[in-house]
Each structure stands twice: as C-alpha cells, then as structure tokens.
Amino acid sequence: MLGQVAASSAPNSPSGSRFFTYEVTGLRQNETNDKNEYPFRKSGSVFIKVPYNRMNEEMRRITRMGGTIVKIHPMNSDS
C-alpha cells in the first residue's frame, strides 16, 4: 500500500484526534509536487492519512495534483 501521512499537532478536542484515510487515484507528478523527495505512481490508488483539521487543505492539494478522491474512510481507534 502506498501512502503518506499529512499529520500536524492536533488540539485536545474530540475532533482533533480523528483521522481519515483518503483513497485517491489519478495523481500525477508536476512542478508543485516535484519538490517532494519521493515519486509516486501514476496509476492505482494512493492512500493518504489526514487529521480532521487538515481535510479541506488536503482536498485542495489533491485537486491541484490532478487526483480524484474515490473514498474517504474514517479511522477509528482500532485502526
């Protein structure tokens, strides 16, 4: 499974400790993400773990990279 974590310090609130997994397809390498030190596949799904407070920012980033969000799964404490 390919993936990455977009984590930041979460506040001490019920929503601050919630994480979601984005299943994304269609990501492509471009000038914006060439700054990353790792390449990613152009086909298949990429799974990105995102805290609740970064969901909107991550959706915008995925859109800029040409990706399509297939599913968003809430992660529970068992994951």
Side-chain angles (χ1 to χ4, degrees), residues 32-46:
T32 303
N33 54 23
D34 276 343
K35 297 173 187 170
N36 296 335
E37 296 180 9
Y38 54 88
F40 50 81
R41 293 188 336 200
K42 291 183 180 180
S43 63
S45 292
V46 176

Side-chain angles (χ1 to χ4, degrees), residues 1-71:
M1 175 170 91
L2 294 176
Q4 65 187 40
V5 177
S8 65
S9 58
N12 293 332
S13 67
S15 64
S17 61
R18 294 173 56 195
F19 280 84
F20 296 83
T21 302
Y22 285 26
E23 182 178 350
V24 181
T25 60
L27 289 177
R28 63 181 181 269
Q29 201 75 29
N30 60 27
E31 299 82 28
T32 303
N33 54 23
D34 276 343
K35 297 173 187 170
N36 296 335
E37 296 180 9
Y38 54 88
F40 50 81
R41 293 188 336 200
K42 291 183 180 180
S43 63
S45 292
V46 176
F47 296 88
I48 305 170
K49 182 179 172 184
V50 182
Y52 176 78
N53 62 345
R54 297 262 325 267
M55 288 182 73
N56 194 18
E57 179 181 339
E58 191 64 22
M59 284 185 209
R60 289 182 190 154
R61 188 180 74 85
I62 290 167
T63 302
R64 282 193 309 267
M65 293 179 358
T68 302
I69 298 171
V70 178
K71 293 181 184 176

